[in-house]
Amino acid sequence: MTSPSQIIIHRPGSLGELHKHVSGKVLIVTDPGIVEAGHVDRAAALLEDVVVFDQVRENPTESDVAQCAQFARVTSPDCIVGLGGGSSMDTAKGALFLLSGGGVMSDYQGHGKAKGPMLPFIAIPTTAGTGSECQSYAVLCRDGSHEKMACGDPRAMAKVVILDPELTESMPLQVARLTALDALSHSLESAVSNNGTDKSRGLSFQAFGSIEPVIELILKGEGSLEDRNRMLVGSAFAGSAIEASMLGAAHAAANPLTAHFDVVHGHAVMSMLPSVMRWNARVVGCVYDELKPGLIDWVESLYELAELPPVEVPSEMIAQLATEAAKQWTGQFNPRPLAVMDFEGLYRRAFGES
Ligand SMILES: [Fe+2]
């Protein structure tokens, strides 16, 4: 598996090849759970000169990234390895921006605002979901809020991606479920994005083709090493598809749910995805049929298979959620446009109101 600017290695045990792709002092950016799982020790044992920043937090903020960048300034690495879930990779990517150009992360919001060359970046996901390893964007939160900020530049793309399904064994079942559903949603939203191209749709279809045969086993906690490998590859393909085409209204509607009710991203997206797909079917139903007959009902059935509880949304909050969803950048790429009142309708349908 290759892309023009990345080397992607995908096989069980491929973490053992890390030393072939780095040189000099290596900074590993990770979180305490990944240290506890033993993955950092395994990676560090392969390297001669290594320092570890293990303070990554979920939904990293501007300040979290600044802290990581400061650690890097003090330790002066020659390359950076993001080892963990999307939060580790986003923190590492954010630090690349600050190290190369200074300032604060909000200076880089948007696309192509990096000010200089960046250190080589190697991405090693330990979850199969975000696809961050194949994206040039660091998705971060503004300090003091859950407001998402996307900072992207081609120079922030990982030079090497190591997909080792042995690393995903340590994921708790609920994390495996929610990240798998997020990856599925990435393949489905990017497949119908109004910003898509033949190439991006090809990536979305490849992602779906890799994920669809194994996701039920993953959700049941019965996935084999090979099944988890397929999930990792599918998640990476979906990440590449997002890079080329962006997402849609399920992500736009999910972000306010995470912001107000702390609903985990994959859960929030999944609670909205079937409603958004029914809304979209009028214009892209043929694409859904091409992906899988009965696709929307099947997606809906996965919510139960993953044993996700219903998201509790007070009806008096729906107008505010809809206003916020309509402002989300990602919503503009939805194939059927939505106004605030349309988002209200989606929320009411998703949460069982008429
Ligand atoms: Fe997502």
Side-chain angles (χ1 to χ4, degrees):
M1 186 175 165
T2 57
S3 77
S5 53
Q6 290 187 307
I7 297 168
I8 301 179
I9 303 157
H10 56 98
R11 52 181 162 266
S14 51
L15 176 66
E17 298 173 38
L18 173 60
H19 59 289
K20 297 178 189 169
H21 302 282
V22 296
S23 58
K25 184 188 274 188
V26 179
L27 166 58
I28 297 177
V29 175
T30 190
D31 70 60
I34 300 301
V35 174
E36 202 174 314
H39 300 324
V40 174
D41 282 347
R42 283 183 59 206
L46 299 160
L47 307 170
E48 285 179 6
D49 195 0
V50 60
V51 286
V52 178
F53 177 82
D54 63 4
Q55 297 303 307
V56 169
R57 299 192 305 162
E58 215 174 303
N59 300 316
T61 63
E62 290 180 87
S63 296
D64 293 331
V65 173
Q67 196 192 349
C68 178
Q70 184 53 29
F71 182 88
R73 283 190 194 100
V74 171
T75 52
S76 287
D78 299 296
C79 67
I80 296 186
V81 172
L83 174 63
S87 298
S88 291
M89 288 183 277
D90 285 337
T91 301
K93 271 188 258 182
L96 293 171
F97 281 89
L98 297 184
L99 289 170
S100 80
V104 293
M105 278 318 297
S106 53
D107 298 339
Y108 301 100
Q109 185 165 9
H111 182 72
K113 295 188 178 162
K115 292 177 184 156
M118 292 181 177
L119 292 176
F121 173 47
I122 293 94
I124 310 178
T126 59
T127 62
T130 69
S132 178
E133 64 275 13
C134 289
Q135 293 164 27
S136 64
Y137 281 82
V139 181
L140 306 164
C141 294
R142 284 192 188 283
D143 281 335
S145 81
H146 276 286
E147 193 191 332
K148 296 275 185 187
M149 189 171 65
C151 307
D153 191 284
R155 285 171 280 199
M157 185 72 101
K159 302 283 181 288
V160 179
V161 176
I162 294 178
L163 303 176
D164 182 349
E166 290 178 0
L167 297 175
T168 67
E169 248 171 351
S170 59
M171 261 192 297
L173 178 58
Q174 198 60 0
V175 176
R177 285 170 164 169
L178 293 176
T179 50
L181 290 168
D182 190 28
L184 175 73
S185 76
H186 294 164
S187 71
L188 294 174
E189 290 226 280
S190 62
V192 298
S193 157
N194 62 19
N195 193 41
T197 60
D198 286 347
K199 185 185 166 205
S200 74
R201 277 185 290 275
L203 290 164
S204 302
F205 272 67
Q206 276 181 293
F208 184 80
S210 194
I211 294 167
E212 189 266 342
V214 299
I215 192 165
E216 293 183 19
L217 290 168
I218 300 284
L219 296 180
K220 287 190 271 187
E222 296 170 4
S224 66
L225 191 64
E226 182 50 35
D227 296 333
R228 291 203 308 279
N229 197 37
R230 290 192 68 146
M231 263 313 302
L232 259 179
V233 170
S235 167
F237 270 128
S240 299
I242 296 172
E243 179 76 12
S245 67
M246 303 310 295
L247 290 164
H251 276 73
N255 289 342
L257 296 176
T258 300
H260 288 282
F261 308 115
D262 233 7
V263 184
V264 176
H265 176 74
H267 188 179
V269 172
M270 208 43 202
S271 70
M272 298 307 302
L273 186 61
S275 304
V276 168
M277 291 175 74
R278 289 191 203 289
W279 167 266
N280 288 345
R282 188 187 292 177
V283 291
V284 292
C286 56
V287 182
Y288 291 154
D289 288 342
E290 205 182 323
L291 283 160
K292 182 179 173 83
L295 178 66
I296 302 176
D297 288 341
W298 176 72
V299 170
E300 207 154 39
S301 75
L302 299 180
Y303 193 95
E304 281 179 31
L305 194 61
E307 299 178 359
L308 296 179
V311 177
E312 302 289 343
V313 174
S315 57
E316 62 271 21
M317 279 292 293
I318 284 181
Q320 186 183 340
L321 295 173
T323 302
E324 292 176 15
K327 289 182 191 159
Q328 299 281 323
W329 183 53
T330 188
Q332 66 185 271
F333 304 105
N334 199 65
R336 187 178 168 201
L338 295 101
V340 173
M341 61 179 287
D342 300 318
F343 274 109
E344 270 193 46
L346 282 185
Y347 282 123
R348 292 192 194 286
R349 276 190 293 280
F351 301 121
E353 293 186 29
S354 55

